[in-house]
């Protein structure tokens, strides 16, 4: 396995930790981290229920925290790791922030951005399927709990 893939696994595990925080708070379990120069500069998880804010997706919160960390709205040297394929809103935000690389775990066939074409920054590299099964399992667990209640 290449060094890049090993690093992707490492950072995705950190995003999965964030997703587990969301699950513990009865939020859709999606987590995200932003990495700059091999350092995590932002961590977040979905908080739409907690904050009563439809835009409080893990990616949006992580991008805001990363921008605050670097003191700039552009994150051109950053990689966003997110456990599930970003939605249209989050994909658009990564494009506006000029995120260089987006790495996600599970595909999202219903509301993922890929249903609508390439919405990321034109130079963005996309890597999908990193720890996808672990990400999907958290979603299955969340929705199974919801069906029972």
């Amino acid at each position: 396995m290449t060094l890049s893939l090993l690093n992707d696994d490492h950072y995705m595990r950190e995003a999965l930790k964030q997703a587990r925080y969301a699950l513990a708070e009865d939020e859709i379990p999606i987590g995200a981290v932003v990495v700059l120069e091999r350092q995590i500069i932002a961590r977040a998880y979905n908080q739409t229920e907690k904050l009563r804010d439809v835009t409080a997706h893990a990616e949006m919160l992580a991008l805001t925290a990363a921008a605050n960390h670097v003191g700039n709205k552009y994150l051109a040297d950053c990689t966003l790791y997110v456990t599930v394929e970003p939605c249209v809103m989050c994909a658009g935000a990564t494009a506006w922030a000029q995120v260089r690389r987006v790495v996600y775990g599970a595909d999202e066939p219903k509301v993922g951005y890929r249903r609508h074409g390439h919405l990321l920054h034109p130079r963005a590299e996309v890597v999908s399927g990193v720890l996808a099964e672990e990400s999907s399992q958290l979603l299955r667990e969340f929705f199974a709990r919801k069906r029972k209640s």
Side-chain angles (χ1 to χ4, degrees):
M1 192 176 285
T2 68
L3 181 59
S4 178
L5 291 176
L6 289 173
N7 286 338
D8 286 346
D9 281 3
H10 169 75
Y11 296 122
M12 188 61 74
R13 287 191 196 292
E14 293 299 316
L16 282 163
K17 286 180 187 176
Q18 295 299 307
R20 288 185 194 96
Y21 293 142
L23 183 64
E25 293 183 15
D26 203 30
E27 298 274 0
I28 295 176
I30 298 175
V33 298
V34 178
V35 174
L36 174 64
E37 298 172 353
R38 299 189 326 216
Q39 296 293 320
I40 295 174
I41 63 168
R43 303 168 195 270
Y45 58 90
N46 271 7
Q47 296 183 47
T48 59
E49 299 299 325
K50 178 180 181 177
L51 299 177
R52 293 184 171 100
D53 179 354
V54 297
T55 68
H57 290 196
E59 301 96 309
M60 300 296 282
L61 297 171
L63 291 173
T64 298
N68 287 333
H69 177 85
V70 299
N72 193 332
K73 64 183 178 181
Y74 298 116
L75 302 171
D77 294 324
C78 293
T79 298
L80 170 69
Y81 289 86
V82 61
T83 57
V84 177
E85 176 186 345
C87 70
V88 171
M89 174 183 68
C90 295
T94 65
W96 285 109
Q98 300 180 8
V99 173
R100 174 166 299 170
R101 194 162 178 262
V102 176
V103 179
Y104 68 87
D107 290 336
E108 180 29 279
K110 293 180 183 172
V111 297
Y113 81 92
R114 291 179 310 143
R115 291 187 62 206
H116 306 280
H118 188 79
L119 301 174
L120 304 176
H121 192 274
R123 290 181 299 231
E125 174 191 349
V126 178
V127 177
S128 63
V130 177
L131 302 181
E133 182 52 36
E134 291 90 331
S135 298
S136 295
Q137 180 57 39
L138 288 174
L139 291 170
R140 285 191 296 271
E141 184 179 335
F142 174 79
F143 287 110
R145 285 183 191 177
K146 288 294 181 191
R147 284 190 293 276
K148 287 180 182 177
S149 52

